[in-house]
Amino acid sequence: MSLTPHQEDLGVLRFITAGSVDDGKSTLIGRLLYDSKSVLTDQLSALARAKHKRTAGEDIDFSLLTDGLEAEREQGITIDVAYRYFTTARRKFIIADTPGHEQYTRNMVTGASTAHAAIVLIDATRVTEAGGRTELLAQTKRHSAIVKLLGLQHVIVAINKMDLVDYSETTFDAIRAAYLELAQILGLEGVRFVPVSALKGDNIVYASERMPWYQDEPLLDLLESLPVAQSGGELRFPVQLVARQDGSHADDFRGYMGRVESGSVRVGQALRVLPAGRSASVAEIVGPRGLLEEAFAGQCVTIRLTEDVDVSRGDTFVAAESALAPSRKLSADVCWFDEDALAPQRKYLLKQATSTVYVKIGSVDTVLDVSTLSHGTDKATLAMNDIGRVQLSLQKPVVADTYDANPATGAFVLIDEATHHTVAAGMIRALAA
C-alpha cells in the first residue's frame, strides 16, 4: 500500500532529551510513548504497582518507563542513557533519555553523539529573575553548549510544567527570549519552542486546549516532520579487520572489513589506502547477503582489492582523487569526563575511527565558563565536565576530517593508558601534518 503525502515515510529520527535534573525529561518521554499508544498493557499494569511511584492516586508515573535502573527509581534521577523505540504512521524513532545531573554529563554526551535532534527541556517553575532578566539553569546552558559542539541538526526547546504556571503565555515568552539569547551566543540556529506539560499531556501528542495562544504543532507532529540530512561527501572506509581464508593457497581470499562512514564505494573504483598512500582498485564488495556492486554510508561490508597491498586495521580507504592527507597535529574541542583532571605528564591514547595512537596534550587554549558562556584562557587544565579547546600531537598520523565536515571521522575519545578509563570525548576543529 502506498502512503499518502501526509503519511510519507521519513525514515528514522534519533533524538535525545537534555536539560537539568527534574526538568521532566523521563516524564516527557513516558507521556510521548503512552499517548502515541506505544506502551503495552502489561507495562502499564507494572507502572501502576511500582513501589517507587512518585505520583498520587491512580496517576501514572511516566518517568518509570525510562528510568530502568533500580537506583534511578529510588533517587528519582536518571543515571544511565535509556534508549526507547517507537513508531508512528510517518516514521520510526529512537529516543535517548539522557541524565540531567552534572555528575553524569559524560552519559549525556554519549547519548547525543549519535542523535539527529535534541529536545532541551526547561522547567518553567525553576527559571529565576535577576535584574529584570530571566536566568536559565547552568545545566541547561552546559547541555545546549554540548548540543552545539556535537552539531545536532535540530534543537527543540520544550518549556515544561506549564500547568504549574497557569499556562502563562508571558512566562513562555520570557523563557523563549532568554533561550534565544543563549542560542545566539552559542551559535545555535533554527531553534523551535513548544510549551508543554508532560504530566498532563499538553502539546505532547495532542494540541492543548489550555494554551489557545500557542498555534503551532504539538511536539510529536514537529518530530515527525523534521528532515534528516543523509550522509554524503567523500568516501571514508576505515578498516576494522583483515579477513583471511585459505592463507596457504595462492588464490586465498583477503578482504578488508569495516563500515562505509561516508560517501560510497563501487566495484572497479580506484582507491588510495591512507596513511601510507598506496593505490588499489576494488575487485569485489561483499555484504551480509552476498555480492554488491556498490555500498553506501552506513553499510558494513568486506572489500577485496585487485592489488595485493599492505593494509591493516586503522588504515582508511578513500577515493583516488581525494586530497585528504594524514594528520599528526589536531586542534579539538574536548568534554572532559574523568574525575581526575587532565594531566599533560600522563599517557593518553586517542581512539579515532579504527585507529588508536598515543597522544600528547600540548596546551589548553580556552575553557568554556558555563555561567557566563565566555571562553576563558586562565585555566591550564580541564576538570570533570569542563569543555575546552586543546592542541594535540599524535605519535603517528591518523586519517581524519574536521567534525563539521564528517562527524564519523572527526570525533574521538581519549583513554587513560594506566586506568583504561575513557577520560574525554573530542571533536576535531583543525588538522595539520
Side-chain angles (χ1 to χ4, degrees), residues 337 349-353 355 357 359 411-415 422-426:
F337 295 162
L349 292 167
L350 179 142
K351 182 171 177 55
Q352 174 268 340
S355 299
V357 301
V359 60
F412 62 87
V413 295
L414 294 178
I415 301 166
T422 299
V423 297

Side-chain angles (χ1 to χ4, degrees), residues 6 35 94 100 104 162 191 214 222 257 294 302 325 365 396:
H6 180 71
D35 282 358
I94 302 175
Y104 306 112
M162 291 297 295
V191 180
Y214 176 74
L222 187 53
M257 305 176 74
E294 190 170 9
T302 300
D365 295 343
K396 60 181 182 179

Side-chain angles (χ1 to χ4, degrees), residues 345-413:
Q345 68 274 16
R346 299 188 72 163
K347 286 187 175 181
Y348 296 108
L349 292 167
L350 179 142
K351 182 171 177 55
Q352 174 268 340
T354 58
S355 299
T356 303
V357 301
Y358 282 104
V359 60
K360 179 181 179 181
I361 302 174
S363 65
V364 177
D365 295 343
T366 60
V367 179
L368 176 68
D369 185 323
V370 176
S371 299
T372 64
L373 296 174
S374 62
H375 295 269
T377 58
D378 56 339
K379 293 182 68 173
T381 188
L382 295 174
M384 187 170 72
N385 296 321
D386 277 346
I387 301 169
R389 177 70 58 87
V390 300
Q391 302 300 320
L392 306 173
S393 298
L394 311 183
Q395 183 186 50
K396 60 181 182 179
V398 296
V399 183
D401 297 275
T402 62
Y403 188 84
D404 291 339
N406 193 331
T409 55
F412 62 87
V413 295

Side-chain angles (χ1 to χ4, degrees), residues 178-196:
Y179 194 90
L180 282 174
E181 185 177 337
L182 169 66
Q184 184 176 13
I185 295 171
L186 293 175
L188 288 171
E189 299 178 352
V191 180
R192 310 177 194 209
F193 297 84
V194 184
V196 303

